[in-house]
């Protein structure tokens, strides 16, 4: 579906006076989407234009809404993992992680050390998979087709090891309340290490081919600048916030899993420019660091003695009455899970705070005053998944 122009009128109506007398004119309202190729999916943008200049922008969401939060209330604590897995289909493992951490906190459950380190490893590998998709697709939206081929080659190497350990290529369903589904296959650590090394050896493609490209830099430098004030006002998080100088990362500032022991390896990549180029640089830098974190996890897991990967659970799992909040540093930003239990086998309420939902709202501040030609560059640099917005 192509963009649609309508002649809706804004209030108050703007008027211009011509040579031949007074003549009224109205701004043009341009609907981008909800299925336009530049919108990453079924997101609709309602733009009010003055010529080629955007005067007003309104992101309209909900076209993919599946009611996951309501479905949480009708599924038990094992089944809700499947629902949470799918809202950001590029971060499936990380999505599962937040849910099981919230349930484990309600139960006061201690997870075996082997599961803690394996979860950390798989979360970082999932972060690399997520970022590679955007590192390849963003240049494509600006006219560069080559990086997407490289990105999918690297993703394929990593998908093989993720599929071997979990059985899934996108929706892993490997987390369980109390740990993980099962232990790692024999020889998997070596194959995972080889995949990480192969990807790292080819990451300079993005430094040379993308960041070294004058056209790419010309389309992104100084475009879509987001101030720290906008970040705080809209609850923007993840690489977008750090590109605007907001130095916050839950893995460092409120460590969970094994991140408290990885502080020497963990590097929070920040920029101060806040433009499209800075957001891409943060994403690329974070990918490099996630590969380093994965290596550190592989080293530690290899040193661990044999042991359990999960806790034994009762046939019917019930969380005690109460409420808790768990949050994680997902690839696209902060994910929060507010869990309320009435002592039943299903959640009374599970509220999901997804990163992309907050992040995309800032478009109302960034798009006005920019040209339509820069809209795609700004939109792509927000690195969002529409399912993560609509849930």
């Amino acid at each position: 579906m192509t963009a649609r122009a309508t002649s809706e009128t804004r209030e108050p109506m703007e008027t211009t006076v011509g040579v031949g007398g007074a003549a009224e004119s109205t701004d043009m309202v341009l609907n981008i989407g909800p299925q336009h190729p530049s919108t990453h999916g079924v997101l609709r943008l309602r733009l009010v234009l003055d010529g080629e200049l955007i005067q007003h922008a309104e992101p309209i969401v909900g076209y993919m809404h599946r009611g996951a939060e309501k479905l949480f209330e009708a599924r038990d604590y094992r089944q809700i993992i499947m629902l949470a897995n799918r809202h950001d289909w590029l971060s499936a493992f990380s999505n599962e992680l937040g849910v099981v951490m919230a349930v484990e906190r309600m139960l006061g459950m201690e997870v075996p050390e082997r599961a803690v380190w394996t979860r950390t490893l798989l979360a970082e590998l999932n972060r690399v998979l997520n970022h590679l998709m955007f590192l390849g697709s963003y240049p494509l939206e600006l006219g560069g087709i080559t990086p997407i081929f490289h990105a999918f080659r690297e993703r394929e190497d990593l998908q093989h090891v993720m599929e071997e350990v979990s059985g899934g290529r996108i929706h892993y369903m490997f987390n369980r309340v109390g740990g993980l589904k099962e232990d790692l296959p024999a020889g998997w650590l070596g194959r995972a290490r080889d995949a990480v090394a192969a990807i790292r050896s080819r990451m300079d493609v993005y430094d040379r081919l993308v960041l070294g490209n004058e056209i790419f830099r010309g389309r992104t430098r100084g475009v879509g600048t987001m101030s720290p004030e906008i970040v705080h006002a809209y609850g923007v998080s993840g690489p977008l916030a750090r590109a605007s100088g907001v130095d916050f990362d839950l893995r460092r500032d409120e460590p969970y899993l094994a991140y408290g022991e990885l502080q020497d390896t963990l590097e929070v990549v920040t920029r101060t420019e806040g433009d499209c180029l800075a957001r891409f640089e943060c994403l690329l830098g974070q990918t490099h660091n996630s590969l380093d974190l994965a290596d550190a996890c592989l080293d530690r897991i290899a040193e661990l003695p044999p042991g359990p990967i999960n806790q034994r659970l009762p046939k019917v799992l019930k969380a005690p009455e109460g409420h808790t909040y768990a949050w994680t540093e997902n690839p696209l930003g902060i994910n929060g899970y507010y869990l309320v239990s009435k002592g039943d086998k299903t959640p009374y309420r599970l509220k999901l705070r997804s990163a992309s939902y907050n992040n995309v709202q800032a478009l109302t501040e960034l798009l006005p005053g920019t040209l339509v030609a820069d809209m795609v560059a700004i939109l792509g640099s927000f690195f969002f998944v529409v399912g993560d917005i609509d849930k």
Side-chain angles (χ1 to χ4, degrees), residues 88-110:
D88 174 2
W89 44 80
L90 297 179
S91 309
F93 185 86
S94 301
N95 298 339
E96 303 169 8
L97 192 57
V99 172
V100 296
M101 285 174 58
V103 178
E104 288 161 1
R105 185 172 297 177
M106 288 285 288
L107 295 168
M109 181 179 290
E110 195 74 25

Side-chain angles (χ1 to χ4, degrees), residues 115-294:
V116 170
W117 280 96
T118 305
R119 280 178 172 180
T120 310
L121 166 63
L122 295 176
E124 290 306 312
L125 294 180
N126 192 199
R127 194 181 309 275
V128 174
L129 281 168
N130 176 287
H131 291 355
L132 282 171
M133 175 63 78
F134 291 110
L135 291 174
S137 66
Y138 185 43
L140 178 65
E141 292 166 9
L142 300 181
I145 191 172
T146 307
I148 194 71
F149 297 129
H150 290 278
F152 269 90
R153 179 184 62 183
E154 322 310 348
R155 278 176 53 85
E156 199 64 27
D157 288 345
L158 205 49
Q159 288 283 27
H160 284 322
V161 296
M162 294 293 282
E163 183 179 10
E164 182 184 359
V165 74
S166 68
R169 286 181 57 83
I170 298 178
H171 302 300
Y172 304 111
M173 281 302 299
F174 198 54
N175 276 291
R176 296 292 186 273
V177 176
L180 295 167
K181 176 186 175 186
E182 57 196 9
D183 208 345
L184 303 172
W188 183 86
L189 291 177
R191 291 186 288 276
R193 196 182 298 276
D194 291 342
V196 170
I199 294 170
R200 181 185 285 108
S201 69
R202 299 193 290 256
M203 283 298 293
D204 67 324
V205 165
Y206 304 98
D207 293 302
R208 295 184 293 102
L209 191 64
V210 182
L211 289 181
N213 186 287
E214 293 182 7
I215 299 175
F216 179 82
R217 298 183 75 88
R219 290 291 307 275
T220 56
R221 186 193 285 117
V223 175
T225 302
M226 180 162 52
S227 67
E229 291 75 21
I230 295 176
V231 170
H232 293 304
Y234 286 88
V236 175
S237 60
L240 275 66
R242 293 190 282 272
S244 296
V246 179
D247 188 5
F248 182 73
D249 191 312
L250 284 175
R251 296 173 299 169
R252 179 198 63 195
D253 301 322
E254 290 195 21
Y256 58 97
L257 294 181
Y259 289 115
E261 300 182 46
L262 291 169
Q263 296 301 305
D264 292 339
T265 307
L266 176 63
E267 177 188 359
V268 180
V269 182
T270 61
R271 294 290 187 273
T272 56
E273 295 84 358
D275 56 9
C276 294
L277 181 60
R279 291 191 278 273
F280 186 87
E281 289 175 340
C282 278
L283 202 73
L284 180 56
Q286 193 166 289
T287 307
H288 282 289
N289 186 239
S290 289
L291 293 171
D292 295 337
L293 289 168

